[in-house]
Amino acid sequence: MAEWIPNNWTFENQGVASRFDQHVRETLPWYDLATHGTAHLIRSYVPDGGLVYDIGASTGNIARSVSDIIDARNLDFVGIEPSQEMADMYDAPSRLYVSNAQEFQFQPFDVAVLFLTMMFIPVADREVLLDRLHEKVLAGGAIIIVDKAPLPCGYLGSTIHRWTMKQKQIGGITPEEIAEKELSLVGVQRPLDPRELMKRNYTTWLQVGEFFGAIYEERSQDQ
């Protein structure tokens, strides 16, 4: 058994936090591609002096990906991370608050990012959180989400899931670790149904197997 994988998955674990950056790239070979896409969207929607929230900031991956414009555009970039263990590993040119998103007091903002975050927020809290974000996003701004979707029914769903397992194996994860991690995530990681976002006028911008990216644009009256 891999000592760093807890029986019940949590980011409030030193082993998980210390391995996080390496682990996500081993298990998700498209992770950097999705990061680059998210960074491009941030650049496209945040104005000079704008406010960006990175909700579920982990070790600062998203802030690092736009570090060049944080200073150049005088951005207020705010990371929000509920795990103190992850926060201790944070390394990015931005402010960081140790808090869960459900309790954080958001100010009017230009861009909010939830990068592999919603699937770890309790299902009962998701609609309320999205409502709060939609109330605070400024005209011309955006809410950017990358998350895991439920699998389709039938053989296609099994096929896509097996491709995910194959990607992890190619990344160097042993079959034992893959199984341990899957069982550890039971009840903790619950996919986000993209159809719930489409009801709010999100647009899909990324799809890789079980994972997707979506964006909401807050349009001004002249758009």
Side-chain angles (χ1 to χ4, degrees):
M1 179 176 180
E3 293 183 359
W4 69 274
I5 299 178
N7 289 330
N8 190 61
W9 185 263
T10 175
F11 292 103
E12 296 178 356
N13 177 288
Q14 186 59 44
V16 171
S18 63
R19 281 185 56 90
F20 178 79
D21 286 322
Q22 174 189 349
H23 180 65
V24 292
R25 288 169 172 84
E26 289 173 343
T27 57
L28 305 174
W30 48 264
Y31 185 83
D32 285 328
L33 173 66
T35 297
H36 296 156
T38 300
H40 177 72
L41 291 174
I42 295 171
R43 289 184 173 92
S44 300
Y45 286 91
V46 66
D48 288 347
L51 172 59
V52 179
Y53 285 117
D54 181 14
I55 303 169
S58 64
T59 66
N61 174 61
I62 296 300
R64 290 192 297 270
S65 73
V66 292
S67 59
D68 58 325
I69 66 167
I70 290 177
D71 284 335
R73 296 191 191 177
N74 192 31
L75 302 184
D76 187 5
F77 197 106
V78 177
I80 303 166
E81 172 54 51
S83 163
Q84 183 63 60
E85 288 78 4
M86 293 292 284
D88 290 342
M89 304 295 293
Y90 194 80
D91 181 20
S94 62
R95 293 189 287 144
L96 179 68
Y97 290 94
V98 180
S99 171
N100 67 47
Q102 300 93 304
E103 298 175 354
F104 191 82
Q105 297 301 308
F106 294 97
Q107 301 300 311
F109 63 85
D110 298 284
V111 174
V113 177
L114 298 101
F115 192 93
L116 301 178
T117 298
M118 289 290 281
M119 57 188 173
F120 292 107
I121 292 177
V123 174
D125 294 340
R126 294 176 185 178
E127 286 294 315
V128 174
L129 174 59
L130 287 175
D131 285 343
R132 293 176 59 216
L133 293 176
H134 280 258
E135 289 173 359
K136 294 295 185 178
V137 61
L138 296 169
I143 302 170
I144 304 164
I145 294 176
V146 174
D147 218 271
K148 187 174 187 177
L151 287 164
C153 294
Y155 183 61
L156 177 58
S158 298
T159 299
I160 293 172
H161 184 63
R162 287 167 181 164
W163 181 44
T164 300
M165 297 300 101
K166 184 63 175 179
Q167 288 177 315
K168 293 180 179 182
Q169 191 177 55
I170 292 171
I173 308 298
T174 67
E176 292 78 11
E177 285 181 311
I178 293 172
E180 288 172 25
K181 173 76 176 294
E182 285 296 299
L183 293 175
S184 175
L185 288 168
V186 171
V188 178
Q189 182 198 76
R190 297 184 63 175
L192 172 66
D193 193 334
R195 293 174 297 182
E196 296 303 312
L197 297 181
M198 299 309 116
K199 294 176 184 177
R200 294 174 177 265
N201 297 318
Y202 281 74
T203 300
T204 300
W205 63 271
L206 176 73
Q207 182 77 54
V208 185
E210 299 180 58
F211 294 83
F212 73 100
I215 182 170
Y216 170 80
E217 302 172 275
E218 181 65 26
R219 298 179 181 272
S220 61
Q221 293 183 350
D222 59 351
Q223 287 182 293

